[in-house]
Amino acid sequence: MPGQDMIQILSEIKPEKQNALQEITVEPLGAVRVYPNSIHTLGDNFLFIGWHGQRKYLWMASRQPGGGNELNGKEIPLAAGALMQCSLSHENAVAIRQWFDFARPVPIGLDDSFGFGDRLGIANPAHVRAAAQFEMRPIFAQQSIRELERTQREADEVMDAATWAVFQEGYKDGFGADADHLKTTADFDRMVRAGFTFFTIDPSEYVQNDADVLSVAELAAKAGDLPWQELQDDFETLSVRYEGQTIRVADDFTLQPNREMVLRAMVKYGRVIAHTAKLYRYMKETYPEHPAEFELSVDETDSVTSPFEHFFVASELKRLGVPLISLAPRFIGEFEKGIDYKGDIDVFKTEYLKHVKIAEKLGPYKISIHSGSDKFRVYEAIGSLQQGHVHVKTAGTSYLEALRTVAATEPALFREILDFSRARFEVEKATYHVSARLENVPAADRLSDGQLLELFGQDDARQVLHVTFGKVLTTTEANGKYLFKDRIMQCLTEHEDVHYENLQRHFIRHLQPFVSGA
Ligand code: ZN
């Protein structure tokens, strides 16, 4: 089509429900496959995302040469106007965020929300496709400091992946960005620089887990040592606020803490409260203009957070002027990685409802479900209640859907990953909450291609694959090349449609129960 106006061609491509690629011919380059929903106008220019050969680029079509000069790329002169071909780089993502409001994260507020963590940086577009079908507000950029270390990713990469995803999919409803499990002020600095807006404070190192088993005398002794100055309080004043009181949380729910309960809560969570307030104040004083909302997570602790302990922590934080948007208790039952909830779901439901009532009374804020991947029984329970506000975090399950895609499309590669993961499991499981037994996961040479796919429905295999992601994605060979990462990325690039479909189907399963309930 010599001389045909590129802008004319782009303006005739209409948005499309599944965002299926459309091929156009660019005179000097040949075929470019365009995501219809990625076409956005900026003044007289047209921006879009599309494939050329095996790579995905950002493109900008202008009526005049030089129109895309603010982007980093190479200009291709056309018969009419010019086309900039740009990599999906950090610099270009920064430009996109400057130009398009919807490409920047925003605080989500009290709306129910769902976190779509990803470790490969290419799952977000499929997350967008699933999220767009539901009311829950999405958090597309979500990564904990631990996951950044394990995957050797930078906070910027996590943010950029979310920006490219909403741009590619034409998603304009706003997304959140969760800097997950922050433990230090340096963690805050790192995530603020990358533009995160949701800050999850993890004071788990300050939880005194043995408070559950100490005697009252031991507890009283320990309570004396709490950082009372930081708590802006003293032992007697605090005790009087709770001990022997009847706390009316809701019409049908009261708490009556006795001396022992108050002492246990104080010792178990006193330092948690002090540390949380310290991190909150650091953030507010250091970055007063930065949009921020705060979650407190105590999910990664040994002992269950009782309703009174939840009340105690939240009410003390409120006294210290720390507003929460969500709180993640350590729930009753087992929230193991990558598999469904283990425990009595009716007991969970009863306890969850108490946590909701406390959150409504002291906030309102959301109850946050960590290790939320694949907890279908929990979603049904919460969906059936239709009370309070909820936030869910998932991460590992997107990696498993990536591996499912590899197993379906390149079984030989998946066989290598499976045996590698089996060999690393015993070491890697140490920092995760899992119960898988290696002997229940067959070696690759004992499985047919079809049986490889069945592993994704088997709890032991899911966990073995889940906890070894860091080693799979970062191990290099003697020549410095990645053992698996490049081949996994190549496979998922070639089979992007299968990968997106697997993710979309899987997340619709996650989101649906919150709408309809059990
Ligand atoms: Zn967590």
PDB file of all heavy atoms in Angstrom, residues 313 454 474 497:
ATOM      1  N   VAL A 313      -4.672  -4.641  68.044  1.00  0.00           N
ATOM      2  CA  VAL A 313      -3.666  -4.049  67.149  1.00  0.00           C
ATOM      3  C   VAL A 313      -4.274  -2.866  66.389  1.00  0.00           C
ATOM      4  O   VAL A 313      -3.699  -1.774  66.321  1.00  0.00           O
ATOM      5  CB  VAL A 313      -3.119  -5.105  66.157  1.00  0.00           C
ATOM      6  CG1 VAL A 313      -2.262  -4.440  65.088  1.00  0.00           C
ATOM      7  CG2 VAL A 313      -2.314  -6.162  66.900  1.00  0.00           C
ATOM      8  N   GLU A 454      -1.488 -33.238  34.039  1.00  0.00           N
ATOM      9  CA  GLU A 454      -2.260 -33.618  35.236  1.00  0.00           C
ATOM     10  C   GLU A 454      -1.573 -33.150  36.520  1.00  0.00           C
ATOM     11  O   GLU A 454      -2.213 -32.988  37.559  1.00  0.00           O
ATOM     12  CB  GLU A 454      -2.461 -35.137  35.276  1.00  0.00           C
ATOM     13  CG  GLU A 454      -3.470 -35.623  34.239  1.00  0.00           C
ATOM     14  CD  GLU A 454      -3.455 -37.144  34.094  1.00  0.00           C
ATOM     15  OE1 GLU A 454      -2.920 -37.831  34.992  1.00  0.00           O
ATOM     16  OE2 GLU A 454      -3.970 -37.634  33.071  1.00  0.00           O
ATOM     17  N   THR A 474      16.356 -17.990  37.850  1.00  0.00           N
ATOM     18  CA  THR A 474      17.617 -17.242  37.978  1.00  0.00           C
ATOM     19  C   THR A 474      18.872 -18.098  37.809  1.00  0.00           C
ATOM     20  O   THR A 474      19.966 -17.543  37.685  1.00  0.00           O
ATOM     21  CB  THR A 474      17.710 -16.538  39.353  1.00  0.00           C
ATOM     22  OG1 THR A 474      17.592 -17.521  40.377  1.00  0.00           O
ATOM     23  CG2 THR A 474      16.621 -15.499  39.514  1.00  0.00           C
ATOM     24  N   ASP A 497      -1.035 -16.711  23.009  1.00  0.00           N
ATOM     25  CA  ASP A 497      -2.484 -16.929  23.059  1.00  0.00           C
ATOM     26  C   ASP A 497      -2.850 -18.026  24.065  1.00  0.00           C
ATOM     27  O   ASP A 497      -3.785 -17.869  24.853  1.00  0.00           O
ATOM     28  CB  ASP A 497      -3.046 -17.240  21.657  1.00  0.00           C
ATOM     29  CG  ASP A 497      -2.267 -18.329  20.939  1.00  0.00           C
ATOM     30  OD1 ASP A 497      -1.137 -18.663  21.386  1.00  0.00           O
ATOM     31  OD2 ASP A 497      -2.773 -18.863  19.938  1.00  0.00           O
TER      32      ASP A 497
END
